[in-house]
Amino acid sequence: MLKLLLLCTLAVASRAEIAEEEDVLVLKKSNFDEALAAHPNLLVEFYAPWCGHCKALAPEYAKAAGMLKAEGSAVRLGKVDATEETELAQDYGVRGYPTIKFYKGGEKESPKEYSAGRQAEDIVSWLKKRTGPAVTTLSAVTEAESLIADSEVAVIGFFKDLNSDGAKAYEKAAEAIDDIPFAITSDDAIYSKFEVSKDSVVLFKKFDEGRNTFDGELTKEKLLAFVKGNQLPLVIEFTEQTAPKIFGGDIKSHILMFLPKAASDFQAKMDQFKKAAEGFKGQILFIFIDSDVDDNQRILEFFGLKKEECPAIRLITLEDEMTKYKPESDAITAESITAFCTLFTEGKLKPHLMSQDIPEDWDKTPVKVLVGKNFEEVVFDSSKNVFVEFYAPWCGHCKQLTPIWEKLGEKYKDSADVIVAKMDSTANEIEAVKVHSFPTLKFFPAGDERKVIDYNGERTLEGFTKFLESGGKEGGAPAADDEDDLDLLQCEDLEADCCHLFF
């Protein structure tokens, strides 16, 4: 008995060593296993102290931890400084910040990636769906009112028979959505309170029309389409908090309005934008971007815009490839935006490809300067082997590569058949190559086949030289299909907030 008491005392003492900051457990490799044992359902943020996105998340993360703690929930939130606990971060494949993983049931081998928004309510809702039943049963009006009051979006299924086929389809749909609370009721008083006269599904929200009622056959697929089509505002502002919802959703066609919030006609233009959005619900996501916000300047740059050129409208599709479209008219009216979106949905728009003008001295330096207007002519010259760096001026790794790339250009400046070149991919686009990260290095060998070979070797003068001398074999690989994911346009520097355009 004495031995058992001693072991229990040691266990309690060990748990007490896990410090907390604003209700968030401070985790290290030395206490990680103990934390999982003490708190089987644990959400962990791997962060870097210098990361701007981590700093923005911190107050919401702490608020979520406090909300759960106040409810007496067994679910806890923890954080790991990945710059200090490098081994622990490496164990769980942390490659960017913040990375958030959920460890359920004390199991640490395959944690679930957090996939919802970055506001406290999003975090709490996601965790409740992950740890509790997918659908909560409501038996009183006050319960329904509290659910709606506490949630930005909530869905209630009204079913007199909770075992009906419709109710079962509803539960299956609820299991497939992590970030929205679902409830079900057969209570007459709740039916009456919300003026529901027959079995149906109602989505309640704190924006736009306030509620949407499902109308159609009760199947999982149709219910999912209904929820996903109505869970976001007609117009959603692009922020760090809303980005996961924007880019993690099923709607991959986005129209963006760049407009300063401080503009005198802001509300008038927003009203026109929102009016146009009504006709494309579920087809195109309407997004507003405050062009005065410093953090949004890289997005303007990505679309070839400057602050002084706003307001402006652009459309982008993130499906098979990332393709941009520009309206012919600069007018921001419901009519002009509707016409632009209609042409897009009918497949009648041509992509908008940015290009700088060809510099007069583009071929006067060892590293040739390519832009959209001279790219095809240079890289697909059948008599030349062309090695191109696609870069971003702000990318830390691109800056590190510059002196090596210039030495490579110097080495081959007198070559009859080798060209070393570079292109600023933030200002120039071509159909032949889709650039998703910086720097991207591609080789275009001589010949008529228009072949493209990715360079995957060492970024050294020796590595580049071997690659060129081997005809693109040493350190090269055939260009793979570019993946359309949420890491679009990242440079690889984890120590620079500017690496992330879409986070």
Side-chain angles (χ1 to χ4, degrees), residues 228-229 232 246 249-254 281-285:
K228 290 177 179 179
L232 293 177
I246 291 171
D250 289 343
I251 302 174
K252 299 302 183 184
S253 298
H254 302 167
K281 204 171 185 180
Q283 292 179 283
I284 302 174
L285 202 57

Side-chain angles (χ1 to χ4, degrees), residues 150-183:
D150 294 343
S151 309
E152 184 76 5
V153 178
V155 184
I156 299 179
F158 294 82
F159 295 97
K160 288 299 183 182
D161 180 1
L162 298 184
N163 293 312
S164 65
D165 290 341
K168 290 177 181 177
Y170 175 73
E171 289 186 11
K172 288 180 180 178
E175 290 169 357
I177 297 179
D178 293 328
D179 55 346
I180 297 175
F182 281 67

